Amino acid sequence: MPGNFARPAPIPVRPAPGASVLQPPAVSADRLAKMVEMLGLAWDGAALADLCTKIKGVGGAPLPAPFAAAAIAAHVVAMRPDSELLAW
């Protein structure tokens, strides 16, 4: 039986007083340098700064997460084919 059902308005959610609101981590060359070091890869500071710029650019684009991750991975492999591990 068809009906005219309206979707209810969403209930606003506010954090409890004193609670922290989660935010995505900021991308920085220092953080990437730590990851690169842990993976045993060798990158220079300029390349990591360029990668940070690319990540921030893709992060601000209206892409679904899998496509954004693929774009970043493709950029990493294009910059340094021997660093495919970092793309993962």
Side-chain angles (χ1 to χ4, degrees), residues 1-73:
M1 175 179 268
N4 186 10
F5 296 102
R7 181 173 280 172
I11 300 171
V13 178
R14 294 185 184 96
S20 65
V21 177
L22 295 178
Q23 295 181 358
V27 178
S28 70
D30 292 336
R31 287 183 180 201
L32 287 177
K34 289 177 186 176
M35 288 176 31
V36 165
E37 183 181 347
M38 286 191 289
L39 293 172
L41 303 173
W43 279 59
D44 62 349
L48 289 175
D50 181 44
L51 183 57
C52 285
T53 303
K54 177 66 175 180
I55 291 171
K56 289 175 185 176
V58 170
L63 291 174
F67 294 110
I72 294 167

